[in-house]
Amino acid sequence: MKGFEMAAGLLCPECGADYVFENDGGVTCMECGHVWSAADMVQNTEETALVVKDSNGTPLQDGDTVTVIKDLKVKGSSSVVKVGTKVKNIRLVAGDHDIDCKIPGIGAMGLKSEFVKKVVE
């Protein structure tokens, strides 16, 4: 198809298909026929940015260091994450547990942001 270029990494906002093509500043979904502009793509990306805040309302970012503000039992184990445990290099994820991290002495796990406080370095 002349004038069309496969849009890598884009999904149709209507049907979620990845079979989309860029053409003259717009994007067309070949599955459902939905057409949208490049400006819409930028706006949608900004709207869906993940915003996670700690227990004090401070925004968190990937790579931040946080401390645990409450003893947390580890499911399926007799281990406990103690108050004051410092967790470095967190990664934000969407879902119930919005922080993925590695806790010293325990390993990889997910935390809820309501139980951590950002460390100001």
Side-chain angles (χ1 to χ4, degrees):
M1 295 197 298
K2 190 173 181 178
F4 283 90
E5 187 174 315
M6 187 74 167
L10 294 179
L11 297 177
C12 175
E14 290 292 315
C15 69
D18 62 352
Y19 191 51
V20 297
F21 291 90
E22 290 185 65
N23 184 22
D24 298 327
V27 182
T28 303
C29 176
M30 300 311 279
E31 296 276 331
C32 70
H34 180 67
V35 179
W36 67 100
S37 71
D40 291 340
M41 290 187 309
V42 173
Q43 182 180 6
N44 288 340
T45 303
E46 291 171 359
E47 289 174 2
T48 60
L50 184 62
V51 177
V52 177
K53 296 183 179 183
D54 70 1
S55 60
N56 295 331
T58 306
L60 297 173
Q61 297 177 355
D62 286 344
D64 280 347
T65 300
V66 296
T67 57
V68 178
I69 62 167
K70 175 183 174 182
D71 283 349
L72 301 172
K73 295 180 184 177
V74 179
K75 284 188 178 179
S77 172
S78 60
S79 301
V80 175
V81 180
K82 297 285 187 177
V83 170
T85 301
K86 190 181 272 190
V87 182
K88 297 179 180 180
N89 199 22
I90 64 169
R91 189 178 60 150
L92 304 179
V93 295
D96 185 33
H97 292 79
D98 40 17
I99 298 173
D100 275 348
C101 61
K102 286 187 180 178
I103 296 182
I106 295 178
M109 68 182 303
L111 293 174
K112 292 185 178 185
S113 59
E114 63 194 75
F115 299 120
V116 299
K117 178 176 71 170
K118 184 175 180 175
V119 173
V120 180
E121 298 173 337

PDB file of all heavy atoms in Angstrom, residues 52-61 64 117-118 120:
ATOM      1  N   VAL A  52       1.549   7.717  40.990  1.00  0.00           N
ATOM      2  CA  VAL A  52       1.515   6.977  42.249  1.00  0.00           C
ATOM      3  C   VAL A  52       2.058   7.909  43.328  1.00  0.00           C
ATOM      4  O   VAL A  52       3.096   8.541  43.155  1.00  0.00           O
ATOM      5  CB  VAL A  52       2.380   5.696  42.161  1.00  0.00           C
ATOM      6  CG1 VAL A  52       2.407   4.980  43.490  1.00  0.00           C
ATOM      7  CG2 VAL A  52       1.857   4.793  41.069  1.00  0.00           C
ATOM      8  N   LYS A  53       1.343   7.985  44.453  1.00  0.00           N
ATOM      9  CA  LYS A  53       1.751   8.852  45.563  1.00  0.00           C
ATOM     10  C   LYS A  53       1.978   8.014  46.811  1.00  0.00           C
ATOM     11  O   LYS A  53       1.303   7.009  47.034  1.00  0.00           O
ATOM     12  CB  LYS A  53       0.684   9.911  45.826  1.00  0.00           C
ATOM     13  CG  LYS A  53       0.506  10.858  44.662  1.00  0.00           C
ATOM     14  CD  LYS A  53      -0.494  11.933  44.960  1.00  0.00           C
ATOM     15  CE  LYS A  53      -0.626  12.868  43.764  1.00  0.00           C
ATOM     16  NZ  LYS A  53      -1.532  13.960  44.028  1.00  0.00           N
ATOM     17  N   ASP A  54       2.934   8.452  47.638  1.00  0.00           N
ATOM     18  CA  ASP A  54       3.215   7.737  48.880  1.00  0.00           C
ATOM     19  C   ASP A  54       2.177   8.082  49.938  1.00  0.00           C
ATOM     20  O   ASP A  54       1.187   8.769  49.663  1.00  0.00           O
ATOM     21  CB  ASP A  54       4.639   8.024  49.359  1.00  0.00           C
ATOM     22  CG  ASP A  54       4.842   9.447  49.873  1.00  0.00           C
ATOM     23  OD1 ASP A  54       3.881  10.247  49.882  1.00  0.00           O
ATOM     24  OD2 ASP A  54       5.969   9.762  50.275  1.00  0.00           O
ATOM     25  N   SER A  55       2.388   7.640  51.164  1.00  0.00           N
ATOM     26  CA  SER A  55       1.415   7.849  52.236  1.00  0.00           C
ATOM     27  C   SER A  55       1.210   9.324  52.578  1.00  0.00           C
ATOM     28  O   SER A  55       0.181   9.697  53.128  1.00  0.00           O
ATOM     29  CB  SER A  55       1.845   7.092  53.487  1.00  0.00           C
ATOM     30  OG  SER A  55       3.115   7.559  53.918  1.00  0.00           O
ATOM     31  N   ASN A  56       2.181  10.162  52.254  1.00  0.00           N
ATOM     32  CA  ASN A  56       2.074  11.601  52.529  1.00  0.00           C
ATOM     33  C   ASN A  56       1.580  12.398  51.327  1.00  0.00           C
ATOM     34  O   ASN A  56       1.498  13.616  51.392  1.00  0.00           O
ATOM     35  CB  ASN A  56       3.426  12.163  52.970  1.00  0.00           C
ATOM     36  CG  ASN A  56       3.878  11.586  54.286  1.00  0.00           C
ATOM     37  OD1 ASN A  56       3.066  11.217  55.119  1.00  0.00           O
ATOM     38  ND2 ASN A  56       5.182  11.474  54.475  1.00  0.00           N
ATOM     39  N   GLY A  57       1.308  11.729  50.220  1.00  0.00           N
ATOM     40  CA  GLY A  57       0.840  12.423  49.024  1.00  0.00           C
ATOM     41  C   GLY A  57       1.952  12.898  48.114  1.00  0.00           C
ATOM     42  O   GLY A  57       1.699  13.608  47.150  1.00  0.00           O
ATOM     43  N   THR A  58       3.188  12.508  48.379  1.00  0.00           N
ATOM     44  CA  THR A  58       4.328  12.887  47.546  1.00  0.00           C
ATOM     45  C   THR A  58       4.378  11.973  46.328  1.00  0.00           C
ATOM     46  O   THR A  58       4.357  10.748  46.482  1.00  0.00           O
ATOM     47  CB  THR A  58       5.643  12.754  48.339  1.00  0.00           C
ATOM     48  OG1 THR A  58       5.537  13.505  49.544  1.00  0.00           O
ATOM     49  CG2 THR A  58       6.826  13.235  47.527  1.00  0.00           C
ATOM     50  N   PRO A  59       4.454  12.538  45.119  1.00  0.00           N
ATOM     51  CA  PRO A  59       4.515  11.693  43.913  1.00  0.00           C
ATOM     52  C   PRO A  59       5.791  10.855  43.890  1.00  0.00           C
ATOM     53  O   PRO A  59       6.871  11.332  44.246  1.00  0.00           O
ATOM     54  CB  PRO A  59       4.518  12.697  42.764  1.00  0.00           C
ATOM     55  CG  PRO A  59       4.059  13.980  43.351  1.00  0.00           C
ATOM     56  CD  PRO A  59       4.404  13.964  44.792  1.00  0.00           C
ATOM     57  N   LEU A  60       5.655   9.608  43.463  1.00  0.00           N
ATOM     58  CA  LEU A  60       6.795   8.702  43.351  1.00  0.00           C
ATOM     59  C   LEU A  60       7.148   8.514  41.886  1.00  0.00           C
ATOM     60  O   LEU A  60       6.295   8.653  41.014  1.00  0.00           O
ATOM     61  CB  LEU A  60       6.456   7.347  43.970  1.00  0.00           C
ATOM     62  CG  LEU A  60       6.146   7.339  45.461  1.00  0.00           C
ATOM     63  CD1 LEU A  60       5.650   5.960  45.895  1.00  0.00           C
ATOM     64  CD2 LEU A  60       7.369   7.736  46.266  1.00  0.00           C
ATOM     65  N   GLN A  61       8.429   8.178  41.632  1.00  0.00           N
ATOM     66  CA  GLN A  61       8.904   7.905  40.276  1.00  0.00           C
ATOM     67  C   GLN A  61       9.725   6.628  40.299  1.00  0.00           C
ATOM     68  O   GLN A  61      10.219   6.209  41.350  1.00  0.00           O
ATOM     69  CB  GLN A  61       9.786   9.047  39.771  1.00  0.00           C
ATOM     70  CG  GLN A  61       9.090  10.368  39.656  1.00  0.00           C
ATOM     71  CD  GLN A  61      10.053  11.470  39.214  1.00  0.00           C
ATOM     72  OE1 GLN A  61      11.250  11.250  39.081  1.00  0.00           O
ATOM     73  NE2 GLN A  61       9.520  12.652  38.980  1.00  0.00           N
ATOM     74  N   ASP A  64      13.086   5.743  42.653  1.00  0.00           N
ATOM     75  CA  ASP A  64      13.073   6.394  43.966  1.00  0.00           C
ATOM     76  C   ASP A  64      13.431   5.413  45.076  1.00  0.00           C
ATOM     77  O   ASP A  64      13.363   4.193  44.898  1.00  0.00           O
ATOM     78  CB  ASP A  64      11.692   6.985  44.279  1.00  0.00           C
ATOM     79  CG  ASP A  64      11.454   8.322  43.597  1.00  0.00           C
ATOM     80  OD1 ASP A  64      12.411   8.916  43.082  1.00  0.00           O
ATOM     81  OD2 ASP A  64      10.292   8.762  43.578  1.00  0.00           O
ATOM     82  N   LYS A 117       6.933   5.686  52.422  1.00  0.00           N
ATOM     83  CA  LYS A 117       7.188   7.127  52.447  1.00  0.00           C
ATOM     84  C   LYS A 117       8.449   7.373  51.640  1.00  0.00           C
ATOM     85  O   LYS A 117       9.447   6.655  51.800  1.00  0.00           O
ATOM     86  CB  LYS A 117       7.372   7.579  53.891  1.00  0.00           C
ATOM     87  CG  LYS A 117       7.699   9.043  54.056  1.00  0.00           C
ATOM     88  CD  LYS A 117       7.771   9.433  55.519  1.00  0.00           C
ATOM     89  CE  LYS A 117       8.994   8.837  56.160  1.00  0.00           C
ATOM     90  NZ  LYS A 117       9.252   9.354  57.517  1.00  0.00           N
ATOM     91  N   LYS A 118       8.425   8.373  50.759  1.00  0.00           N
ATOM     92  CA  LYS A 118       9.586   8.678  49.927  1.00  0.00           C
ATOM     93  C   LYS A 118      10.727   9.209  50.768  1.00  0.00           C
ATOM     94  O   LYS A 118      10.513  10.027  51.677  1.00  0.00           O
ATOM     95  CB  LYS A 118       9.200   9.707  48.862  1.00  0.00           C
ATOM     96  CG  LYS A 118      10.309  10.020  47.888  1.00  0.00           C
ATOM     97  CD  LYS A 118       9.836  10.949  46.788  1.00  0.00           C
ATOM     98  CE  LYS A 118      10.945  11.248  45.824  1.00  0.00           C
ATOM     99  NZ  LYS A 118      10.476  12.060  44.697  1.00  0.00           N
ATOM    100  N   VAL A 120      13.889  11.501  50.975  1.00  0.00           N
ATOM    101  CA  VAL A 120      14.471  12.657  50.294  1.00  0.00           C
ATOM    102  C   VAL A 120      15.979  12.560  50.485  1.00  0.00           C
ATOM    103  O   VAL A 120      16.485  12.615  51.603  1.00  0.00           O
ATOM    104  CB  VAL A 120      13.946  13.979  50.865  1.00  0.00           C
ATOM    105  CG1 VAL A 120      14.568  15.151  50.145  1.00  0.00           C
ATOM    106  CG2 VAL A 120      12.432  14.014  50.766  1.00  0.00           C
TER     107      VAL A 120
END
